[in-house]
Structures are given as structure tokens and as C-alpha cells.
Amino acid sequence: MGLDRTRSPSERAETPLTAAIMAGRWIRTAAVDDGRGRHWRANPDARGRSAAAGDSASLYAGAAGIVLFFLELAAATGHEAYLDDARKGARYLAATWRERADLSLYHGLTGTLVALIEAGWAFGDGLFEEEAVAVADTIVRAARPLDGGVGWTREPAQRGDGGIVLGLLQAAAALGVRGYEETAVAAGERIAGLAVPGHRFGDCADLPLDAVTPGFLSGTAGTAFLLARLYGVTGERRFLEAAGRGAGFVREVSAVAGRCAVVPHHVPQGRELHYLGFCSGSAGVARMFYELYRVTGDAGHLDWAERLAHGIVESGAPHRQTDGFWNVACQCCGAAGLLELFVGLWAATGDESRLEYARVLAGHLIGRGDNHDGQGFRWYQAYRRLRPGEVSADTGYMVGAAGIGAALLHLDAAMQPRQARRVILLPDNPFPAIPVPPAKLRDSAQ
């Protein structure tokens, strides 16, 4: 799916903000209200089934992520109706979280925790904060002894214990409960003691059992990001040393040409398959290198983040499709994840070329937004690379319209330094929450 050629050029001339509003319009058509609050169907559209149908509450594809999007849309527009959407979604999360056993960040209770924290901050509603505390307490109580320390899933990467640790660190800072940080650090100590480099997917049907994955969501880079974050929190050298081992492995297996670098999806079998997106490619791995730069000040780490960004630009994305950047638009593995990276790099460095490329990415996303029935923007994509004929459009954050809309809102905030606003970033996003370089903020105040 590409440009919707049924619309006139004037109808396609959306801004990042108006495109995000159009995404919100379509997501609203998926609303399901009951006595517990509001959630949203993964795909209300008759043209295709959901790419990631599952838990209606998850951060990845359910209510938790959509609540975050509507909170941001309300902040960007000042429209109370979007706050009502977010409030009803947060009530659903508060009422139903005890029904769920998964503890992870993207698919479980840690994602609910993040959404309730943000809702409590936005609304000043004691209920949401109380439920956030209850969720965090449940996660802490669920920690169990494992070889080398404590944890939950035995999975060190972001999709497992790594994401839970990041959520608890955020909860400790937002809710003021030191015990959450203590549990997070204890679980991190176990992860720091594991063999780095490398991570095995293991249960991924599309990969060999011995595949080692250097990427972010399920690989070495995401684990090293977590360890760097723990070093920033504690100042303990063992976390920095373990993060450095992970980063060293990623550098070793990457392909470098001049100022460009790309990361293999898995080794040894997939050395020539270079994803560009967040989950397993350059956009996610660059977060790890930037986090290391943020906590150490070592410019070599920033240089690697920049190399990965150069590699994305030189690939021809978003207009050129490759084996690692196919017909996909979402935050997880598509253009929206790239947009988050380049807005973040602009905020961190002030490099105008990063903001310009972010505009290119946004224009691409806006151009492929589909409003064929007048009910708002959705993005049809082949979410699974190995199933190119399986095309669908989703409402959720990491896989659909909510996350694409959020990325567009982050660019909108970056383009308006005179009205800079806080944006909501997930716990594994290391970039500034006000997506404007400090120098630009100072210039705007003069």
C-alpha cells in the first residue's frame, strides 16, 4: 500500500498534527465501552484482520498504548474530548489489570503501569496513582529467585525482564517508592552477570535455534541499553562494564562503510539481513549507543548512534524498500520508529539534517495514510516481513495508528520551539522529553 490516490493533492497536504488528529479519528471508530471503561478493537476495518490481535490492554497493541496517544493528542490540540478518551481507557486499565498474568513491558502489566502513571500525572486522579502503585507492588512481589539473582522471566532483553526493570525504574521516580528501584537493581545485577555478548531468540519459529540477535527488543542492544540505564541510576561500574561488553559485540558484528553502519538481524545466518527499524535494527540499536553516551559523556558512543542514522539515510528509506525495510509503517519495525530516532537525535544534538530527514519520514507516513471511507487515517502494512501478502491496519501503539500518530506529534512538538511541550516517551527511549535542543529553547525565549 502506498499513497491513497483516491484523494486530491490538497487532501494529502496534511501536517504532522492534522495527520495525528486523523489517526485519532479512526482509532475512535474502534472504541468499545462497557462498565469497566473503554478499550479499542485492534482492527475495526473490514479490509483486513489485525496484525497483532491479542490482549486488549497491552502497550504494544492495546489500550495502554492508545491511552498514551490520546494524552499526547490532548496536549497538542487542547481538546478536552481526547482527554475523555484517555480517561476512559485508563479506567479500563485500572479495572482489569488483575485479570492479566503477563508482567512484561510491551505485552503485560508493566505497560499498564506506565500508562496509569501518565494518566495519574495528567489528570491528578488519585485512583490512577493508587492502581499504579498496586500494579508495581504486584510486579515486585512476583520477582523470584533465579540463577545468579532475582527476576521474572529468565529473559534478559526488553521483551522480558529488561522491560520490567525499566518500568520499575520509571515507577520509582514517578511514584517515589524506593523499593521499586531496589528490586529493579537486584534484577539488573543478575542480568549484568549473564554472558554478554549475544542473545538467543530460542522460541522464534522464523529463526534457527542457535541464532544470536544483536538488536533491541529481543537482543543484545536492548540488554546493553538497560545496563547503561542502571549505571546512570546507581553509578555502579559493573553495570557500565556489562553494557560495554554488549556494545562491543554489536560493533563487532556490524557492517561499517565510511560514516555508515548497519546491524545484522541475527548471526551467523543473517549477516546480510539489515533491519532499519526499532525492534531489531538500526533505530533501536542507536538508542543503546545514545544511552551510553548520555550516561558516560563518551563521544564515541554518540558517533556510533550517528553512524547508524547515516546508514538509514543512505539506504534510501523511506522511499526505497529493502529486505530490512519493507512495506511497513509502524513504530516497531517501520517508518514511525525511524521518525522517533531522528526527532530524538535532533533534540539531543541540534543537527538540522536530522530534523530535515524527520520531515521526510513524516511526509512519507502522511502520504500513505489511508482515509478511503472518510473515517480517518489508518496505515495498511505487511507487519510480518516473511508474509508480504498479509496486509492489515491496526489501532495500537507499536503496530498501528496510535504509535504513528504519536511519532508525528513528537515531530510537531520539535517544529515549534516557541511552544515546546513535554512528549510522552516510553521507558526505553533515551532522548529528551522536550524534543527541542536547549539552544533552540534559549533562542525562542529571547
Side-chain angles (χ1 to χ4, degrees), residues 210-221:
D210 62 344
V212 178
T213 56
F216 197 79
L217 191 56
S218 300
T220 307

Side-chain angles (χ1 to χ4, degrees), residues 207-230:
L207 287 181
L209 286 176
D210 62 344
V212 178
T213 56
F216 197 79
L217 191 56
S218 300
T220 307
T223 307
F225 174 97
L226 165 71
L227 294 165
R229 176 65 55 86
L230 284 167

